[in-house]
Amino acid sequence: MSTPALEKAVRSAFQSYQEKSYEKATLQCRQVLMRRPKNADALHVLSLIALDQGDTTRAIALLQKAITHAPHHLQYELSLGNAYQTAQQYQAAIDTFQLSLGRSSAPATLHANIGYAYYKLGQTTQAIASLQRAVELDPSHTEAWSNLGSALATAKRWTEAEAAYHMALGQRPDFLQPMIDLARVKSERNQSETAIATLKELCLAEPTNVAAHAALGEAYAKSGNIVEAQAAYMAAITLNPSDELRIRHAILQPIIHESHASLQQHRLEFEHRLDALLCQIPTEEPPLSALPTSQFYVAYHGLNDRTIQEKLGIFAAKTWPSLTQHQRTRSLNTGRIRVGFCSRFFSHHTILKLMAGVLIGLPRDLFDIRIIIADPDRATLNQVITQFCPQDTIHVVPLDMVQAQSAIAALDLDVLIYPDMGMAPWSYGLAQSRLAPIQ
């Protein structure tokens, strides 16, 4: 087969791929590779087929092989970055996309992809910077605006997040994801009625949209309406009986109870739902966003919570074994006692005010203090350093719990203190591992 004939065969295979005639396209590529085993274009088409069919491992291997035969080929690098992203190998995706930045004719899309990968890694500051660069280069990039809104919301920069979502919706009014995320921001800002009204309309307009029903359940739960929250989650579960939705439904609890009898009944029902969860441990780890906390409001019941907390802890450890990888039982330190204070709330928050006296008062000749913060903005970081611990070491760790655990374990702490245990899934997830002998 001559070179022109090979090129024609690859073009034909790509057309078959676009028509979703995968068997035909695969056969055509194999015929080309029988004649030219190093034909990178044929390997690329096969990788696209594998990616469409959900085989990311094969897609990545094929693309790596294609790049070996045709180094620095921009399209292959972009496809490899997309494959890494689909496989949730976000750091590899970032590294691959950054290689292509100087040569791409669509740098906005590359910055958007890099920003999204940073966001999924929990590195919010970098995500915001990359996504802002994307919309600067291409103000019409709808998905970049939507993802920028999500990154800003994670950083609790609510006003900017709303503005970004409005930019996305201004360009594409039928874009459901920013509609749902905008409603979530409204709920976080105690505008529950607005959020619930928006999500109810979405659920009526898109009755099969799982995310809309789940977001409605979340909004009802934040407002304290557990009956409606349970109904919304059940609607989502009916459409998609995922482990994540099942967990979210099971851990619903009223914020305020009508009576002591109601409180007792809800606690009993809650324990029964926990027992059901323990009898049906997921075979694969659900998203860490589904991780149940130690149930903040249960502590206000004034009752013995040990059984509930034990069941929650056992369920978390069995469901997310990746969070139990570190078990440090002794320290190698011989000098000052190394103490870490780890929190997402070292900012304008009660937690920082509560801990201020401890942070200021601990004698530094006896204690080596390490402040551990999750991806803060610069203003928050400067406040913590200048006001409370100017002479101490600050460690900024990702929001990604597994990465954060590894970073904290590497500090070789003698004591690790979580001042906000039970207030956020992040610290609860970190505490599934023993990252210091005393914790």
Side-chain angles (χ1 to χ4, degrees):
M1 191 180 290
S2 64
T3 299
L6 283 171
E7 291 174 353
K8 182 179 179 181
V10 172
R11 286 197 299 272
S12 179
F14 185 70
Q15 184 176 345
S16 298
Y17 157 74
Q18 289 181 312
E19 295 168 352
K20 299 194 182 301
S21 299
Y22 296 137
E23 289 187 13
K24 182 179 178 182
T26 299
L27 179 61
Q28 290 168 319
C29 288
R30 285 176 177 168
Q31 289 173 342
V32 170
L33 291 169
M34 285 178 65
R35 299 295 184 98
R36 294 286 191 278
K38 296 183 179 181
N39 188 287
D41 287 333
L43 292 167
H44 182 227
V45 174
L46 286 175
S47 76
L48 297 176
I49 295 168
L51 204 55
D52 277 10
Q53 294 178 332
D55 192 346
T56 53
T57 303
R58 175 170 165 76
I60 290 167
L62 287 164
L63 284 162
Q64 289 172 334
K65 193 173 182 180
I67 291 170
T68 299
H69 299 320
H72 311 301
H73 192 292
L74 180 61
Q75 187 54 57
Y76 302 162
E77 289 176 357
L78 295 177
S79 294
L80 180 59
N82 290 331
Y84 279 131
Q85 196 136 284
T86 303
Q88 300 181 13
Q89 297 180 34
Y90 296 114
Q91 188 57 57
I94 290 167
D95 295 341
T96 304
F97 286 135
Q98 285 179 334
L99 285 174
S100 309
L101 262 179
R103 295 177 288 124
S104 173
S105 59
T109 297
L110 276 177
H111 281 289
N113 288 345
I114 291 168
Y116 178 75
Y118 273 129
Y119 171 67
K120 297 300 288 186
L121 282 175
Q123 298 179 30
T124 313
T125 303
Q126 295 95 319
I128 291 170
S130 294
L131 290 162
Q132 285 176 331
R133 182 60 179 149
V135 297
E136 286 170 7
L137 292 168
D138 181 6
S140 66
H141 202 303
T142 311
E143 289 192 0
W145 279 115
S146 179
N147 290 331
L148 176 58
S150 298
L152 289 165
T154 300
K156 301 188 185 303
R157 291 162 59 176
W158 306 121
T159 302
E160 294 171 86
E162 287 194 20
Y165 288 137
H166 282 300
M167 288 296 295
L169 291 169
Q171 296 170 8
R172 193 170 137 197
D174 62 343
F175 195 178
L176 289 178
Q177 193 57 55
M179 287 187 208
I180 293 168
D181 291 335
L182 179 58
R184 283 197 171 105
V185 169
K186 296 288 186 186
S187 180
E188 289 287 348
R189 302 187 80 176
N190 296 319
Q191 299 172 28
S192 295
E193 289 185 8
T194 303
I196 289 168
T198 300
L199 291 166
K200 284 175 73 175
E201 287 182 15
L202 273 177
C203 290
L204 287 172
E206 300 283 341
T208 60
N209 189 287
V210 177
H213 287 288
L216 180 58
E218 185 181 325
Y220 272 128
K222 283 186 180 294
S223 72
N225 191 335
I226 297 303
V227 174
E228 293 290 353
Q230 288 175 326
Y233 273 117
M234 283 308 302
I237 290 168
T238 301
L239 293 167
N240 176 25
S242 70
D243 290 319
E244 179 179 9
L245 291 173
R246 188 170 59 88
I247 294 166
R248 289 186 181 279
H249 175 263
I251 63 173
L252 286 171
Q253 274 269 67
I255 297 172
I256 299 173
H257 296 268
E258 295 178 357
S259 65
H260 185 71
S262 169
L263 184 152
Q264 293 281 12
Q265 181 62 31
H266 278 294
R267 285 176 67 95
L268 184 62
E269 291 172 358
F270 181 53
E271 282 205 56
H272 288 162
R273 293 198 299 273
L274 288 180
D275 290 335
L277 286 178
L278 286 167
C279 290
Q280 196 176 353
I281 300 295
T283 54
E284 295 184 5
E285 290 194 19
L288 286 168
S289 57
L291 182 73
T293 66
S294 59
Q295 292 297 297
F296 180 77
Y297 292 106
V298 168
Y300 289 91
H301 295 172
L303 299 171
N304 188 337
D305 300 330
R306 176 166 182 154
T307 302
I308 288 176
Q309 300 295 2
E310 283 181 343
K311 289 179 179 180
L312 281 165
I314 292 168
F315 176 73
K318 288 186 175 181
T319 303
W320 288 276
S322 63
L323 293 178
T324 63
Q325 58 182 318
H326 301 282
Q327 298 298 329
R328 296 190 67 251
T329 56
R330 66 188 185 92
S331 171
L332 302 177
N333 294 326
T334 57
R336 292 180 298 162
I337 297 171
R338 187 172 296 170
V339 183
F341 291 87
C342 179
S343 177
R344 282 205 66 190
F345 298 103
F346 282 152
S347 59
H348 299 288
H349 193 280
T350 307
I351 289 296
L352 183 56
K353 295 175 182 177
L354 178 68
M355 298 305 297
V358 177
L359 292 174
I360 294 169
L362 282 173
R364 269 40 178 193
D365 58 331
L366 298 178
F367 297 100
D368 174 7
I369 305 300
R370 306 299 179 97
I371 307 299
I372 303 161
I373 307 177
D375 196 36
D377 60 46
R378 181 54 54 182
T380 296
L381 193 58
N382 288 339
Q383 178 197 9
V384 173
I385 294 171
T386 56
Q387 290 189 24
F388 301 106
C389 44
Q391 73 272 47
D392 298 321
T393 304
I394 307 288
H395 298 278
V396 177
V397 298
L399 283 174
D400 179 275
M401 295 180 202
V402 175
Q403 290 190 34
Q405 282 183 334
S406 296
I408 295 168
L411 301 180
D412 196 27
L413 300 170
D414 298 300
V415 181
L416 176 57
I417 298 170
Y418 295 105
D420 57 14
M421 182 54 62
M423 294 180 65
W426 188 73
S427 55
Y428 189 72
L430 296 185
Q432 299 302 314
S433 274
R434 181 170 290 281
L435 303 175
I438 300 173
Q439 179 167 295

